[in-house]
Amino acid sequence: GVSVAIENVTKIYELRDGSDLLALDRVDLAIAPGAFVAIVGPSGCGKSTLLSLVAGLAPVSTGKILIDGEEVKRPHEKVGVVFQTDLLLYWRTVMDNIMLPVEIKGWRRQDYLPKAERLLEQVGLAGFAGKYPSELSGGMRQRVAICRALVQEPGLLLMDEPFGALDALTREQMIADLQAMWLSVGNTVLFITHSIEEAVFLADRVLVMSPRPGRIDLDRTIDIERPRS
Ligand code: ADP
Ligand code: ADP
């Protein structure tokens, strides 16, 4: 995994009526390589904003974000992202969806096919490579989105409420199934959720964001010790 340093980051949105909205206020956070960090907080506290800045999808207003010491200015090679909705292309098969990042990067598809097949197997979708998204359930599609993020072997996996759109049972099942997988991948993970249960179950470190303006509440950070294989 890679290291992430968020240094004194502020994000201000300019609203259409001309006013400013302070979404993140001087956020500081250092994430060690291989750490699994969860950020929890109520809706609107700035979680998605923080993730989009780390992903290089939007610029910081002030401060700096570094991935392995390199300032983030645009989407980074080493980063994979999973959003709340799966964002699969419905006209492409499962395998062709998983191969998108590989194609975009201009890598050779055949070099990544075995990896993609292994990932599908790990998420319980062996044999689904040739299916189309419309043939899968919401939970299955989200698993495919996770495979797509992981096929490029990202040093950093960013997840924004990846289970948010799923019903409670599917959600629980998926978290249980995927936990072992996260632990074996070895990449750094930044995971955003409004569920404290999910955060505590999956992460090594849980950070709480307080809203208006979004700040990480350091007094409420907890480190969770868990056995690692
Ligand atoms: P969370 O992910 O914790 O729900 P967000 O990062 O989505 O929080 O939002 C933080 C604040 O910034 C909210 O007040 C939201 O309305 C505002 N916001 C988010 N994205 C934008 C945007 N693109 N333009 C303007 N305001 C935004
Ligand atoms: P979440 O709570 O899951 O972050 P939101 O409903 O807050 O979801 O935001 C959904 C999308 O809308 C995000 O991409 C966010 O950046 C954008 N957004 C949120 N608030 C605003 C806003 N006030 N103006 C423009 N875009 C916004």
Side-chain angles (χ1 to χ4, degrees):
V2 303
S3 67
V4 182
I6 297 171
E7 296 178 354
N8 206 24
V9 164
T10 294
K11 178 66 181 178
I12 299 164
Y13 289 112
E14 287 164 27
L15 303 182
R16 233 163 295 170
D17 67 6
S19 62
D20 286 346
L21 187 147
L22 181 58
L24 293 175
D25 185 26
R26 292 164 288 155
V27 172
D28 272 304
L29 177 61
I31 304 177
F36 195 132
V37 172
I39 297 183
V40 296
S43 188
C45 72
K47 303 184 297 297
S48 296
T49 296
L50 184 61
L51 193 115
S52 69
L53 300 181
V54 176
L57 297 172
V60 300
S61 299
T62 64
K64 256 190 215 172
I65 299 179
L66 306 161
I67 293 179
D68 264 355
E70 193 187 318
E71 193 167 351
V72 174
K73 298 248 159 114
R74 60 189 70 80
H76 199 287
E77 273 266 289
K78 293 176 185 159
V79 178
V81 191
V82 180
F83 297 97
Q84 180 167 355
T85 48
D86 56 64
L87 303 175
L88 298 179
L89 305 181
Y90 65 84
W91 60 91
R92 283 184 165 231
T93 63
V94 163
M95 184 57 84
D96 289 347
N97 267 287
I98 294 175
M99 284 296 152
L100 268 171
V102 170
E103 287 172 26
I104 288 167
K105 289 175 180 176
W107 296 344
R108 278 153 42 108
R109 184 183 165 101
Q110 57 267 41
D111 293 344
Y112 291 86
L113 279 172
K115 167 94 189 172
E117 269 156 20
R118 212 158 48 241
L119 285 167
L120 276 173
E121 205 171 300
Q122 276 181 291
V123 301
L125 291 176
F128 283 76
K131 299 268 190 218
Y132 285 86
S134 60
E135 299 176 272
L136 309 181
S137 69
M140 289 168 150
R141 287 202 295 271
Q142 202 57 0
R143 287 165 197 255
V144 174
I146 289 167
C147 292
R148 181 178 56 190
L150 288 174
V151 74
Q152 48 192 327
E153 296 174 6
L156 174 64
L157 180 63
L158 302 174
M159 296 190 287
D160 189 354
E161 302 256 10
F163 313 120
L166 306 177
D167 65 82
L169 271 179
T170 307
R171 194 180 171 105
E172 215 168 284
Q173 184 61 49
M174 222 168 125
I175 293 165
D177 288 352
L178 293 177
Q179 193 195 20
M181 184 171 160
W182 302 140
L183 294 179
S184 69
V185 180
N187 41 18
T188 309
V189 183
L190 179 59
F191 174 68
I192 281 177
T193 175
H194 59 248
S195 161
I196 290 172
E197 289 80 3
E198 256 174 47
V200 168
F201 189 73
L202 287 168
D204 309 313
R205 190 167 169 219
V206 179
L207 298 147
V208 180
M209 272 188 91
S210 41
R212 283 179 292 276
R215 298 211 63 172
I216 289 179
D217 188 343
L218 288 175
D219 295 336
R220 290 162 73 194
T221 298
I222 54 169
D223 289 304
I224 298 166
E225 283 175 35
R226 59 176 84 253
R228 292 257 170 189
S229 51

